[in-house]
Amino acid sequence: MVPLARPLRQLVVSPRQFFEENPPAETLPIAGGVVIAFAVALTLALLLVGSMLAGAVDATVTMDNPERPPDFVCEQHADDPDSAFSEGCDEPKTIECDAGKLIQEAVNDQLWIGLVAPFVLWAIGTIALFAGGRLAAGNPSFAGSAALAGWAALPEFARVIVGLAGLWYALDDLTISNLDGAPAVLEAALASVEPVLLVASVLTLLWQWSLLSAGLSEDADISRGAAAVAVGIPLLVFFVIGAS
């Protein structure tokens, strides 16, 4: 197993040498830890996104009052003070709510995605790498494929950081007071950072391609070129799906 004190510099600078000295299957526990750490980081990132979006909105929305029973209930029982169903019928039908707070709550409801998605992608990546190694006439180990799929989460930390920085820059000093035009305003604000986000995504893809090609070549005992093709195809598919 790779000593915990070992820096990741070698993995970043020379993944081939790293995996030659540390067979992928032996790094599985640490790679699994990377996935867990990324799931936590992604969840925290979603919280920050919700906070930034909520902070950019200065508007209220009219919505049904959850404290008031439906109209058909009040119509039948409002005049009967002894009826338990009449409770709350004197409340207003609608209330004004802070739109920013509602956005934050909506994002919070989706936090499970940050916790679950990395593990789903880890499983899919494991299968893709194992199958790719086999199709390339290699002999990959399932543990090695799982480890490599876990290491693929490492470059994603950089993309998340760039994405958060880009969103913060786009939303800085932005105030949305009209929710009807919010999508157009957000689209215009994000247009200035989209090239940077695209470059970050491409660099992340290339980093993953280099890392996984070196690891699969070692684990499956195939040439670096064959490993590059076996890794490149599923990575390109993931990239296209993510960009669409």
Side-chain angles (χ1 to χ4, degrees):
M1 181 183 299
V2 181
L4 293 178
R6 175 188 291 273
L8 295 177
R9 180 177 179 277
Q10 186 184 45
L11 180 63
V12 176
V13 176
S14 180
R16 185 167 201 170
Q17 183 180 357
F18 177 86
F19 287 119
E20 284 177 352
E21 297 178 5
N22 309 282
E26 296 183 9
T27 69
L28 179 56
I30 299 178
V34 172
V35 176
I36 294 173
F38 180 65
V40 174
L42 185 59
T43 303
L44 293 176
L46 288 175
L47 276 172
L48 285 175
V49 168
S51 178
M52 285 188 283
L53 289 174
V57 174
D58 183 17
T60 59
V61 293
T62 302
M63 59 181 297
D64 293 335
N65 188 353
E67 302 297 328
R68 188 180 191 278
D71 287 342
F72 74 90
V73 174
C74 291
E75 289 173 358
Q76 296 181 22
H77 302 280
D79 295 332
D80 185 1
D82 296 327
S83 174
F85 295 104
S86 66
E87 184 177 355
C89 287
D90 55 344
E91 296 286 341
K93 292 184 178 181
T94 60
I95 56 175
E96 294 291 321
C97 292
D98 181 11
K101 182 179 179 181
L102 294 178
I103 291 175
Q104 181 71 72
E105 292 175 352
V107 173
N108 290 346
D109 289 339
Q110 304 302 317
L111 290 182
W112 64 270
I113 296 176
L115 292 173
V116 174
F119 295 97
V120 173
L121 292 175
W122 187 17
I124 295 174
T126 298
I127 296 172
L129 289 171
F130 185 80
R134 288 286 190 180
L135 290 173
N139 187 31
S141 66
F142 194 78
S145 298
L148 292 173
W151 283 118
L154 186 62
E156 294 293 344
F157 282 94
R159 176 155 60 171
V160 168
I161 292 173
V162 173
L164 287 174
L167 185 61
W168 176 83
Y169 176 82
L171 297 180
D172 189 33
D173 294 331
L174 178 68
T175 301
I176 299 175
S177 56
N178 181 7
L179 292 182
D180 292 335
V185 173
L186 282 175
E187 184 177 351
L190 292 173
S192 62
V193 297
E194 282 181 355
V196 176
L197 300 180
L198 178 60
V199 170
S201 294
V202 172
L203 291 178
T204 298
L205 179 72
L206 293 176
W207 184 0
Q208 290 171 328
W209 183 49
S210 174
L211 188 154
L212 296 179
S213 297
L216 187 61
S217 175
E218 181 66 26
D219 184 62
D221 193 21
I222 56 179
S223 68
R224 183 67 181 271
V229 173
V231 168
I233 293 175
L235 274 181
L236 187 59
V237 171
F238 288 150
F239 180 79
V240 171
I241 293 175
S244 60

